[in-house]
Amino acid sequence: MRGRLVFLLPLAIVGALMLVFGKRLLDVGRGEDLRILPTVLLDTPVPDMALDAIPGRGRNPDGLTDEDLRGEVALVNIWGSWCVACLAEHPVLNEIAKSGVVPVQGIAWRDSPAASLGWLAKHGDPYARIGQDPKSRAAIAFGVTGAPETFVVDRQGVIRYKHTGPISPEAWERTIKPLVMELSK
Amino acid sequence: MRMGLIAMMTAISLGALAVEPSERLADPALESRAREVSKALRCVVCQNESIDDSNAELAKDMRILVRDRINAGDSNQAVLDYMVERYGDFVLLKPRVMPTTIALWVAPAVLLALGLLVLIRTMRRRAMAEPTALSSDEALKLKRLMDGAP
């Protein structure tokens, strides 16, 4: 009897594997993007950084350090003028900045100052401060895999949320704004 | 003609190397450590390449960061730890031994041991099985065959 059950073992293993893989497939079907990696930086302080301002932007103060991210709730948006998805996201950032709900801090990733300035002049400049990150130092420190990515940072300068990809109006209204309101209490 | 071809092939194969000459460290010992670390780190843009193999711009910046840290005196492990702190265990191409990966590490050995066990038991059982004597019918058939009779 026991001997015969052993022959059913491979079938049971294959069945279990099919369940596991099937679940993942259904997750993808429901719109879960498996390329989005969960950040391990949640609930950790923002990394040390001291990023230069873009010369000629004409804002004072400008440039971005980790110290600037302590004291108030803020969004940190990593973008580049070369990034098409950033262009799609930009009107939403402009709206957020206009609403005055939360300051948007920018990290200009792998970009030349001239290209950044041209882009901002053309599409609007929602950023309170901008720090340049020409060699990806800040991007790597934030565990960024692609632009745009946006972090919600609380008053203590702790990362509380990461949004991968462009922020849609829905993502802002449903997820990010409520979180910002909660953290600002 | 042949020399030209060789030169061309060399140029092509050099072009295929992701690590650019300007990135390399002057000290060969440090450079070889940097290569070793880079080979262990996954390119987070392309996901199935190491940053040593990848031509992605982020991979290039990661290689430079790895070299800067090694140059600054970090151990290989310290550089890997820095990346894992930021990108999670995913960034390591070779999974570490942890509670969540232990099955991955021991499964091959366990499966091999199980297979050997089954093999040994089957072989033993076969060796121990006594040949039974032929029935009279079979003995007759055999005898006919041996005698060459139809």
Side-chain angles (χ1 to χ4, degrees):
Chain A
M1 188 58 212
R2 212 181 53 118
R4 241 177 251 163
L5 277 180
V6 166
F7 289 109
L8 285 177
L9 199 64
L11 192 67
I13 292 172
V14 169
L17 283 175
M18 279 171 76
L19 277 179
V20 172
F21 295 152
K23 192 196 168 288
R24 281 315 255 167
L25 277 176
L26 287 178
D27 288 347
V28 176
R30 273 197 294 271
E32 187 183 319
D33 191 342
L34 298 181
R35 286 167 305 172
I36 294 178
L37 309 171
T39 182
V40 288
L41 293 174
L42 276 189
D43 300 325
T44 64
V46 288
D48 297 342
M49 59 179 176
L51 306 179
D52 291 336
I54 300 174
R57 181 164 173 252
R59 299 250 180 129
N60 195 21
D62 207 354
L64 191 64
T65 69
D66 49 304
E67 233 7 85
D68 297 329
L69 295 173
R70 293 190 179 99
E72 63 178 340
V73 181
L75 302 187
V76 180
N77 177 252
I78 285 139
W79 64 284
S81 67
W82 43 268
C83 149
V84 183
C86 300
L87 187 58
E89 174 187 63
H90 212 64
V92 181
L93 293 182
N94 284 332
E95 282 302 312
I96 294 172
K98 216 197 287 170
S99 75
V101 172
V102 63
V104 185
Q105 312 288 7
I107 294 179
W109 183 25
R110 290 191 68 100
D111 215 354
S112 76
S116 296
L117 284 182
W119 201 79
L120 292 170
K122 197 167 164 195
H123 304 292
D125 184 348
Y127 301 107
R129 289 162 166 271
I130 298 182
Q132 290 190 69
D133 187 25
K135 289 179 176 165
S136 308
R137 288 303 150 96
I140 295 171
F142 270 100
V144 166
T145 58
E149 281 187 18
T150 307
F151 295 83
V152 178
V153 178
D154 71 13
R155 279 201 197 94
Q156 284 73 43
V158 172
I159 296 170
R160 300 299 290 267
Y161 184 72
K162 173 191 178 184
H163 184 92
T164 304
I167 299 174
S168 61
E170 294 75 34
W172 163 245
E173 287 295 337
R174 282 194 207 142
T175 313
I176 301 173
K177 192 176 172 188
L179 175 63
V180 166
M181 298 297 220
E182 176 67 30
L183 294 173
S184 304
K185 268 180 197 165
Chain B
M1 176 64 198
R2 180 175 284 183
M3 285 310 284
L5 198 66
I6 291 173
M8 204 177 78
M9 300 297 259
T10 315
I12 291 171
S13 60
L14 279 180
L17 243 179
V19 184
E20 291 165 29
S22 62
E23 294 174 19
R24 286 189 203 134
L25 297 174
D27 183 335
L30 291 184
E31 173 63 20
S32 90
R33 276 180 51 207
R35 294 294 302 268
E36 199 184 310
V37 171
S38 302
K39 282 187 176 128
L41 288 170
R42 184 191 303 274
C43 166
V44 290
V45 180
C46 14
Q47 306 205 347
N48 282 324
E49 276 183 309
S50 73
I51 61 168
D52 193 60
D53 291 328
S54 173
N55 285 311
E57 286 172 332
L58 184 54
K60 177 192 162 120
D61 285 348
M62 282 182 173
R63 284 196 300 269
I64 295 173
L65 178 70
V66 164
R67 280 166 175 77
D68 283 357
R69 294 204 144 240
I70 282 179
N71 226 0
D74 274 14
S75 70
N76 291 12
Q77 195 54 50
V79 179
L80 292 175
D81 287 346
Y82 176 85
M83 294 305 241
V84 170
E85 242 170 62
R86 261 124 199 106
Y87 288 98
D89 289 297
F90 176 80
V91 81
L92 298 177
L93 280 169
K94 184 174 161 187
R96 291 198 287 202
V97 185
M98 297 185 302
T100 47
T101 60
I102 193 77
L104 199 64
W105 282 98
V106 296
V110 168
L111 288 178
L112 186 69
L114 265 174
L116 281 175
L117 210 73
V118 170
L119 185 73
I120 289 170
R121 275 185 56 176
T122 324
M123 280 171 60
R124 247 193 223 157
R125 202 176 293 165
R126 276 200 197 148
M128 269 156 57
E130 295 264 334
T132 45
L134 294 179
S135 66
S136 54
D137 229 24
E138 286 166 338
L140 198 66
K141 254 189 203 162
L142 181 66
K143 188 172 184 319
R144 278 196 194 142
L145 279 172
M146 299 298 274
D147 294 347

